Amino acid sequence: MRPAADGRGRHRDPIPVVVREAVLLLDPDRVLRHANDEARRLLDLPADCEGRPLDAFDLPPALTALLHGSEEFTDARAVVHDRVLGVDLHPTDRSGGPSHLIATLRDTAPLNGPDTARLRLELLYRAGASIGTTLDITRTCQELAAALVPAFADFACVDLYEGVLAGGEPRPGQSRPLHRAALAGIGELPPLLAPGSPVPLVPGTPRARAVAGLRSVVEPDLSSALAAWDEIHPSTVAAMRDQGVHTLVTVPLAVGGTLLGVATFWRARPRPAFDEEDRTLAEELTARAAVLVENARRYTREHTMAVALQHSLLPAGLPEQHALEVASRYLPAQAGVGGDWFDVIPLSGARVALVVGDVVGHGVHAAATMGRLRTAVHTFSSLDLAPDELLGHLDALVNRLDQEHPAPDGSERPITGATCLYAVYDPVARRCTLARAGHPPPAVAYPDGRVEIVDLPAGPPLGLTGMPYESVELELPEGSRLVLYTDGLVESRSHDLDHGLKLLRAALAHPGRDPRQTCEDVLAALLPVNPADDTALLVARTRALPADHVADWEVPADPAAVARVRAAVTRRLADWGLADQAFAAELVLSELITNAIRYAAPPIRVRLLRDRALICEVRDGSATSPHLRYATDTDEGGRGLFLVAQLAERWGTRYPASGKVIWAELPLAE
């Protein structure tokens, strides 16, 4: 029923005067507009109470705090004159009427009357249901403190030993300070140390005795304890005395003999001192909370370990290379650590490999599996395998990993479950070769504004079938943006893959933006507020190696041709301003060309690339790979590759569709 207003704006009494409930009508400023007879009796209100602010009355702080609340509630508890009152607070009209509040108060029982046991059980049930809603240690402690204020205590705090909040093992001891994890009180400024503050254990005080004996302590009179604390925190003690704090019960937070911290509950006058029944109730709730805090601590420890493992396995930075301008982002899921990863791997011939992968699941297992797969991709890429071949080897590896870890009950072995996309970009040919194993398709944003989701055969996820993979080759104009990502970016509870790809196209339809800005655009358009899966994003803008940085010659299978090629190489290096590298380049190419003429098959070609290093390549028609070895004093040969290895920063062999390429990278002068 909405109160009616007279001509002077005052509310006429719409509430029956004779009811069993105390009724208060409050305006938005908490000015008392009406109090019925039961309210005047229960709260001992003066005759002229109406029209005066709520704070003008000598009401218990717990009740005042409830009536000043901004949200409606039902069946709260407050102690008034040694009686327990049930309190409800509701707006007078939810349909646009006057924004007043109706508070109803019911006299449930005396504080120590015959219904006390029922009220304690009710409080135990309500508080137990509100503690441990998450696996966050701080929130669990805060829920314990808040559950008993104001129904049981005026103030409550939870103090933990150092390291517990971070998931570490507690190290209890009288000389080790506690750290305040949570605080709740009836007012805005409880007279206790704030969360995050160190809390020393003062010898002889109730908390020190509780820790020493690993048992709860009830202190009906805090006079001696306040005197001891006064030497360490005089301002806090002064505030406690000002607010009438006079009694406490403190309970160790312990699980299986392991002490995590201490929970302490305080009362201020006029509420009575804690007694043995109060100790029992506090012990019951604190014991439940201790188990929940321990569970949260173990979860935090495992989560911290998984995060540390994952960060150690993800790339710390992107390697130096000139073929692509790259930006990356990794965003963990709200649920925890996942198995998404990305990589940028420089290859021979100025080429670069881009990798994005995703291991199914979360936690340490997913992170560890991701690390093994990432290491395997690095190993296979060092062999210069084609993308489809590399995924085939990776698939076989995942199958072996599954066989190493069969199901405990002897049933069918578990599938590790992982997807991967592997791409190789060649800045000389401006072509990109890609293959994927069950992974979302890449996107290409061309310089002219076109955006394309690459029609790349999906292939099965790694470890499922052992079937071959297919690759696709694209020609990418210089300035194209190649976008690789994991499914957490384009799939969520709110939309499917097709809708996610549509959003991705729209986010990429801004030509001229660099990879860093592209990452920001994509994440802003697609990433949900609370992602359920982690996300890896890699954006690479292509560059082309200028034509005048490439030189190539065909070499006849004649030893006399070596001198002509050496002379041509010397002239080209002089044109490039690299005359200082001519001697080393001539020696390397002489050895490689001579080996190709002697032991390989035509056609033989030589190519020089001027990139971040001077790259020397000799290609022939044979698939036989040379091996580096130590030549003995009596050997007539075998020293050529040893000489190449000494002069080059890196060297190796790769196998294109036919024949092989032996390459060596020589450092450029400063």
Side-chain angles (χ1 to χ4, degrees):
M1 180 184 300
R2 186 170 66 204
D6 59 20
R8 291 172 293 180
R10 295 179 301 184
H11 290 277
R12 300 193 302 270
D13 183 7
I15 305 161
V17 174
V18 183
V19 292
R20 298 186 61 185
E21 289 185 334
V23 180
L24 302 175
L25 177 64
L26 304 170
D27 70 9
D29 296 326
R30 298 307 190 269
V31 174
L32 182 62
R33 294 303 179 187
H34 173 79
N36 68 349
D37 292 340
E38 182 70 5
R40 295 170 186 268
R41 182 188 68 81
L42 278 179
L43 303 181
D44 195 19
L45 297 175
D48 59 344
C49 61
E50 295 178 354
R52 297 170 62 183
L54 195 63
D55 295 335
F57 309 116
D58 186 21
L59 300 178
L63 179 60
T64 303
L66 286 174
L67 298 180
H68 274 285
S70 59
E71 296 182 0
E72 63 177 296
F73 56 82
T74 58
D75 204 24
R77 291 289 186 266
V79 178
V80 179
H81 304 314
D82 294 338
R83 305 190 69 82
V84 180
L85 301 185
V87 185
D88 298 345
L89 187 69
H90 299 286
T92 57
D93 196 321
R94 296 183 177 88
S95 304
S99 55
H100 285 55
L101 297 170
I102 287 286
T104 58
L105 301 90
R106 299 170 302 283
D107 185 3
T108 58
L111 186 61
N112 296 302
D115 291 336
T116 301
R118 179 184 63 80
L119 294 174
R120 292 180 188 277
L121 286 175
E122 180 183 348
L123 175 60
L124 188 66
Y125 171 77
R126 290 163 58 93
S130 65
I131 302 172
T133 59
T134 69
L135 284 171
D136 181 83
I137 298 176
T138 302
R139 182 166 178 178
T140 301
C141 293
Q142 187 62 42
E143 288 168 347
L144 170 61
L148 297 181
V149 175
F152 177 74
D154 293 319
F155 309 102
C157 59
V158 180
D159 306 320
L160 300 178
Y161 278 106
E162 185 178 6
V164 174
L165 286 174
E169 294 293 333
R171 294 183 293 174
Q174 290 287 338
S175 61
R176 296 184 180 276
L178 297 160
H179 291 265
R180 182 134 301 165
L183 175 65
I186 56 175
E188 296 182 0
L189 296 174
L192 301 171
L193 295 175
S197 304
V199 182
L201 288 173
V202 181
T205 57
R207 279 182 293 191
R209 300 201 307 270
V211 169
L214 204 62
R215 60 180 178 80
S216 61
V217 173
V218 174
E219 189 64 54
D221 184 0
L222 286 178
S223 300
S224 60
L226 290 177
W229 287 326
D230 196 18
E231 299 179 2
I232 300 176
H233 289 290
S235 60
T236 300
V237 172
M240 294 172 69
R241 286 172 172 153
D242 289 343
Q243 296 197 29
V245 177
H246 68 101
T247 182
L248 70 75
V249 56
T250 182
V251 185
L253 275 166
V255 178
T258 300
L259 183 61
L260 303 173
V262 179
T264 308
F265 308 96
W266 318 72
R267 280 181 184 167
R269 291 184 176 86
R271 300 184 72 170
F274 287 111
D275 56 22
E276 290 301 317
E277 291 186 1
D278 294 323
R279 181 212 296 262
T280 302
L281 178 62
E283 286 177 345
E284 177 75 19
L285 275 175
T286 304
R288 294 186 185 184
V291 174
L292 297 171
V293 170
E294 174 65 7
N295 290 341
R297 184 189 70 83
R298 292 177 180 272
Y299 167 79
T300 302
R301 180 183 61 186
E302 293 181 4
H303 179 74
T304 302
M305 291 171 55
V307 169
L309 174 63
Q310 184 188 45
H311 287 180
S312 69
L313 296 174
L314 286 172
L318 300 177
E320 181 184 355
Q321 47 79 34
H322 292 170
L324 297 167
E325 180 186 356
V326 183
S328 63
R329 294 290 187 276
Y330 172 78
L331 292 98
Q334 188 181 36
V337 174
D340 290 16
W341 89 93
F342 61 89
D343 256 316
V344 178
I345 307 173
L347 302 176
S348 64
R351 298 169 306 134
V352 177
L354 300 175
V355 192
V356 172
D358 184 4
V359 176
V360 175
H362 294 88
V364 174
H365 175 71
T369 304
M370 174 269 286
R372 300 175 77 173
L373 295 185
R374 180 172 177 250
T375 301
V377 170
H378 272 265
T379 302
F380 294 143
S381 67
S382 68
L383 302 176
D384 267 313
L385 298 175
D388 53 341
E389 289 184 68
L390 184 142
L391 291 182
H393 286 285
L394 202 59
D395 177 63
L397 172 66
V398 173
N399 273 294
R400 288 197 298 273
L401 291 178
D402 287 343
Q403 293 170 0
E404 291 175 4
H405 303 282
D409 57 359
S411 60
E412 184 179 357
R413 60 183 174 85
I415 303 273
T416 297
T419 65
C420 185
L421 193 155
Y422 187 82
V424 176
Y425 174 68
D426 185 349
V428 178
R430 299 194 302 277
R431 302 191 71 83
C432 184
T433 307
L434 310 95
R436 62 178 175 136
H439 202 81
V444 177
Y446 292 95
D448 60 5
R450 290 182 299 119
V451 178
E452 173 185 285
I453 303 298
V454 180
D455 186 14
L456 182 62
L462 300 171
L464 290 183
T465 63
M467 297 294 290
Y469 295 92
E470 300 179 64
S471 60
V472 167
E473 190 172 72
L474 302 175
E475 183 171 353
L476 298 179
E478 185 173 10
S480 300
R481 288 170 293 163
L482 183 62
V483 182
L484 283 64
Y485 52 89
T486 54
D487 59 357
L489 181 70
V490 293
E491 291 183 285
S492 70
R493 297 187 183 97
S494 60
H495 62 256
D496 58 11
L497 176 62
D498 291 337
H499 183 67
L501 294 178
K502 181 180 179 181
L503 294 176
L504 179 61
R505 287 192 189 95
L508 295 175
H510 302 285
R513 299 197 173 179
D514 61 18
R516 185 182 300 273
Q517 183 60 50
T518 302
C519 285
E520 301 301 329
D521 293 344
V522 169
L523 294 178
L526 281 89
L527 199 67
V529 176
N530 297 313
D533 195 8
D534 47 344
T535 297
L537 174 63
L538 201 60
V539 177
R541 184 162 62 180
T542 61
R543 295 169 175 158
L545 195 65
D548 59 357
H549 282 211
V550 181
D552 128 3
W553 301 271
E554 185 170 354
V555 182
D558 180 3
V562 177
R564 295 195 297 272
V565 174
R566 290 176 59 178
V569 167
T570 301
R571 290 192 297 271
R572 180 51 61 94
L573 292 179
D575 294 340
W576 286 346
L578 300 177
D580 291 342
Q581 278 71 36
F583 178 73
E586 288 179 12
L587 283 179
V588 168
L589 288 174
S590 294
E591 294 296 336
L592 296 182
I593 296 171
T594 301
N595 283 345
I597 292 174
R598 285 184 178 180
Y599 306 113
I604 301 172
R605 298 194 67 86
V606 172
R607 188 171 73 161
L608 282 183
L609 302 176
R610 182 185 177 183
D611 191 43
R612 59 189 176 88
L614 179 62
I615 303 171
C616 306
E617 297 181 345
V618 175
R619 179 170 183 166
D620 60 55
S622 171
T624 304
S625 177
H627 297 284
L628 180 66
R629 64 184 179 87
Y630 284 101
T632 65
D633 294 340
T634 58
D635 289 340
E636 295 183 1
R639 298 175 179 82
L641 282 182
F642 183 81
L643 180 63
V644 170
Q646 297 303 306
L647 293 173
E649 283 188 332
R650 296 194 310 156
W651 76 279
T653 306
R654 70 173 182 269
Y655 296 89
S658 61
K660 68 175 180 294
V661 176
I662 303 178
W663 55 271
E665 292 185 2
L666 303 177
L668 297 179
E670 292 294 336

